[in-house]
């Protein structure tokens, strides 16, 4: 059996490596030729715990990379699924393009698995019509892994497989069971599509609740973390942690699919999205308050620590820091803040710095946007500075919180 995984990004690559290192004959395809060259020559393309070792094991087992689609028994499509800013609906163009390319090469009897997160009905509306009368079997196998702990979660997270018939579902389940040790639930395609989007929407709503509480507690001069800590003593309450916003390509995107498709039925989901999207503006207000209190007059003395959307990864997509820098573009600020992230070595934003000591020397107020271990394990380096800790990871005296 040959498996062709399409899209060698944050999800497709580790999935392909996992399968290959567990004895599956895998070809990883990406239309980005530079990426394929990099994979073929150097291996690892992004930071992730254990990825180098897994890569070596997969190469040992014979994984190949190509910019061409391959003749295979099973195709796994793991390409981006953004949303359209205007309609809030899914933008299925990458999935459609990838499926069309698969259909140009595959033989009847092949199974086409869409692993990308898609809005309920996407396979029916966008993929099924491409197949027409051909005997191609369809499945949806959404992914739940979190960057930073991907390889552990690939093995230990339960999964969902949606398919039109039991036989197809079982073939796909057996493929994932080559490396996944947790339960694999079989269902129909639409239920699999919906349950994945619902999972991320649930997270978004719960984060929004914590963020709204933060604003309320700040207004009431109360410590939100103490309130949450006490409330969570209730056996059926589990409030999440507030933060400077929601980034990444999942939680900040997938709820929009439901808002776009069901605009009259998604007041709660839509509000939650708005609350989370308002957090960078709220952080800006907190920075202004602290600058006034500490008599810091120039934004050039403000340092944003962290550019990624979560700790200890190098993924900056939709990150709260990038959102905050966007907010600043529309404000009257005398200059750009300095920005530093230990995981980002390329030029991304103005006034970016690459050395923690130099960054700290430039700042009077450090805004901790990401709780990377580097700073969590070394809080003393912040002493003597004003600090706004948006992640509640620093317990130094006098540190400002959200
Ligand atoms: N990143 C995550 O943490 C995460 C978690 C769960 C689910 N997902 C979902 O997984 C899917 C993939 O996300 P990702 O983060 O891996 O994206 P990514 O941007 O990291 O990778 C996508 C890759 O697909 C390639 N590609 C796009 N169209 C192609 C085509 N037609 N043919 C060949 N290659 C093509 C791109 O060049 C890119 O390398 C999305 O639907 C996302 O929502 C992501």
């Amino acid at each position: 059996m040959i498996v062709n995984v399409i899209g060698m990004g944050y999800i497709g690559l580790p999935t392909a490596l996992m399968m290959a290192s567990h004895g599956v004959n895998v070809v990883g395809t990406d239309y980005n030729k530079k990426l394929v060259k990099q994979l073929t020559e150097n291996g690892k393309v992004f930071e992730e715990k254990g990825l180098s070792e897994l890569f070596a094991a997969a190469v040992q087992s014979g994984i190949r990379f190509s910019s061409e689609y391959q003749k295979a028994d099973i195709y796994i499509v793991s390409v981006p699924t953004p949303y359209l800013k205007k309609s809030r609906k899914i933008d299925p163009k990458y999935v459609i393009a990838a499926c069309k390319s698969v259909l140009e090469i595959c033989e009847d009897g092949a199974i086409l698995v869409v692993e990308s997160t898609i809005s309920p009905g996407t396979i029916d509306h966008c993929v099924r019509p491409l197949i027409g009368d051909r005997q191609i079997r369809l499945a949806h196998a959404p992914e739940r892994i979190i960057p930073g702990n991907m390889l552990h979660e690939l093995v230990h997270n339960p999964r969902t497989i949606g398919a039109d018939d039991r036989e197809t579902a079982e073939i796909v389940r057996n493929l994932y069971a080559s490396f996944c040790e947790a339960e694999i639930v079989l269902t129909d395609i639409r239920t699999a599509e919906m349950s994945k989007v619902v999972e991320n929407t649930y997270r978004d709503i719960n984060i929004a609740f914590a963020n709204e509480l933060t604003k309320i507690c700040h207004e009431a001069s109360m410590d939100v973390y103490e309130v949450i800590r006490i409330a969570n003593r209730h056996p059926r309450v589990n409030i999440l942690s507030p933060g400077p916003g929601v980034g990444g390509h999942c939680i900040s995107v997938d709820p929009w699919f439901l808002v776009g498709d069901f605009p009259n039925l998604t007041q709660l989901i839509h509000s939650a999205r708005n609350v989370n999207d308002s957090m960078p503006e709220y952080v800006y207000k907190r920075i202004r308050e602290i600058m006034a209190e500490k008599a810091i007059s120039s934004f050039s003395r403000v340092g944003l620590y962290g550019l990624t959307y979560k700790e200890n990864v190098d993924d900056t997509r939709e990150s709260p820091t990038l959102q905050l820098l966007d907010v600043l573009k529309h404000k009257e600020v005398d200059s750009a803040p300095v920005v530093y992230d230990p995981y980002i070595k390329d030029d991304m934003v103005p006034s970016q710095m690459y050395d923690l000591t130099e960054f700290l020397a430039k700042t009077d107020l450090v805004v901790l946007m990401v709780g990377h271990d580097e700073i969590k394990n070394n809080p003393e380096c912040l002493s003597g500075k004003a600090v706004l800790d948006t992640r509640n990871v620093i317990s130094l005296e006098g540190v400002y919180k959200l």
Side-chain angles (χ1 to χ4, degrees):
M1 181 180 70
I2 299 183
V3 176
N4 190 192
V5 181
I6 316 297
M8 290 291 97
Y10 284 97
I11 296 300
L13 177 63
T15 304
L17 297 177
M18 255 314 166
M19 286 179 181
S21 65
H22 286 79
V24 180
N25 187 355
V26 179
V27 182
T29 293
D30 201 293
Y31 64 9
N32 178 346
K33 291 192 170 141
K34 212 171 125 202
L35 174 66
V36 170
K37 188 165 182 285
Q38 211 177 332
L39 285 168
T40 310
E41 288 173 2
N42 317 321
K44 203 176 74 164
V45 287
F46 61 90
E47 285 297 326
E48 179 64 36
K49 193 173 53 193
L51 195 62
S52 300
E53 294 76 5
L54 182 65
F55 204 101
V59 169
Q60 185 79 23
S61 303
I63 192 169
R64 286 153 290 144
F65 300 101
S66 172
S67 53
E68 305 293 328
Y69 288 61
Q70 308 291 311
K71 283 231 179 299
D73 303 285
I74 302 183
Y75 293 85
I76 297 181
V77 170
S78 186
V79 297
T81 44
Y83 72 98
L84 297 159
K85 293 277 167 355
K86 206 161 169 207
S87 67
R88 268 84 184 245
K89 288 174 186 286
I90 188 172
D91 181 352
K93 69 175 178 217
Y94 297 100
V95 170
I96 292 175
C99 291
K100 276 186 178 165
S101 302
V102 166
L103 290 166
E104 278 168 19
I105 187 154
C106 75
E107 287 175 359
D108 279 9
I111 299 178
L112 171 52
V113 182
V114 177
E115 190 171 288
S116 300
T117 305
I118 45 180
S119 61
T122 300
I123 289 198
D124 282 349
H125 299 139
C126 302
V127 181
R128 223 178 272 286
L130 305 174
I131 290 173
D133 297 338
R134 291 193 59 189
Q135 299 302 307
I136 305 298
R137 294 183 277 174
L138 286 172
H140 179 42
E143 184 50 76
R144 290 176 168 143
I145 55 177
I146 189 165
N149 198 25
M150 283 181 162
L151 307 189
H152 176 86
E153 291 205 354
L154 269 172
V155 174
H156 298 287
N157 282 355
R159 308 191 65 101
T160 314
I161 309 284
D164 291 332
D165 59 81
R166 184 86 194 176
E167 193 199 337
T168 307
E170 279 178 2
I171 294 170
V172 178
R173 172 167 61 190
N174 290 344
L175 172 61
Y176 282 94
S178 64
F179 63 86
C180 174
E181 294 173 9
E183 183 191 14
I184 301 181
V185 174
L186 305 186
T187 183
D188 61 272
I189 286 175
R190 279 171 71 91
T191 306
E193 291 172 324
M194 180 62 108
S195 54
K196 168 65 198 176
V197 172
V198 161
E199 289 159 20
N200 282 347
T201 304
Y202 172 89
R203 299 272 302 154
D204 201 43
I205 290 171
N206 282 279
I207 295 167
F209 180 60
N211 284 338
E212 192 156 284
L213 285 182
T214 297
K215 293 180 181 176
I216 294 169
C217 287
H218 182 60
E219 183 75 16
S221 302
M222 296 177 77
D223 178 351
V224 70
Y225 298 102
E226 181 67 352
V227 171
I228 292 175
R229 192 179 71 80
I230 292 169
N232 281 350
R233 289 282 190 272
H234 185 294
R236 286 167 295 284
V237 172
N238 184 18
I239 304 171
L240 301 182
S241 300
V246 175
H249 254 223
C250 295
I251 297 179
S252 67
V253 171
D254 304 345
W256 286 126
F257 297 167
L258 293 177
V259 175
D261 286 346
F262 304 95
N264 298 326
L265 301 173
T266 43
Q267 286 89 332
L268 175 67
I269 297 169
H270 198 162
S271 294
R273 269 293 60 243
N274 288 342
V275 168
N276 289 335
D277 277 352
S278 75
M279 290 312 286
E281 173 86 33
Y282 175 75
V283 173
Y284 167 74
K285 284 189 194 135
R286 293 288 293 124
I287 292 172
R288 277 290 189 208
E289 285 169 8
I290 298 163
M291 285 174 78
E293 208 177 307
K294 293 284 181 186
I296 299 168
S297 56
S298 172
F299 251 85
S300 65
R301 298 299 300 171
V302 174
L304 306 182
Y305 177 93
L307 257 170
T308 62
Y309 82 90
K310 73 181 289 290
E311 66 285 359
N312 305 325
V313 300
D314 62 2
D315 190 347
T316 57
R317 295 179 294 178
E318 318 278 337
S319 83
T321 306
L322 294 177
Q323 294 177 42
L324 174 59
L325 290 170
D326 258 356
V327 166
L328 291 178
K329 281 184 198 154
H330 306 286
K331 304 289 179 192
E332 280 187 22
V333 289
D334 64 313
S335 59
V338 288
V339 184
Y340 161 80
D341 190 304
Y343 286 87
I344 308 302
K345 306 289 178 216
D346 296 332
D347 265 348
M348 269 197 76
V349 296
S351 305
Q352 192 176 333
M353 309 206 59
Y354 304 92
D355 180 87
L356 179 60
T357 312
E358 284 172 24
F359 164 78
L360 291 173
K362 287 259 183 202
T363 57
D364 296 322
L365 166 59
V366 177
V367 184
L368 218 139
M369 296 293 286
V370 187
H372 290 309
D373 282 351
E374 180 201 55
I375 202 83
K376 246 170 98 172
N377 298 336
N378 185 23
E380 308 77 37
C381 71
L382 295 168
S383 55
K385 307 254 169 226
V387 177
L388 169 58
D389 175 9
T390 70
R391 301 284 185 172
N392 196 30
V393 291
I394 302 289
S395 53
L396 292 176
E397 189 71 17
V399 165
Y400 293 92
K401 302 282 169 167
L402 281 174

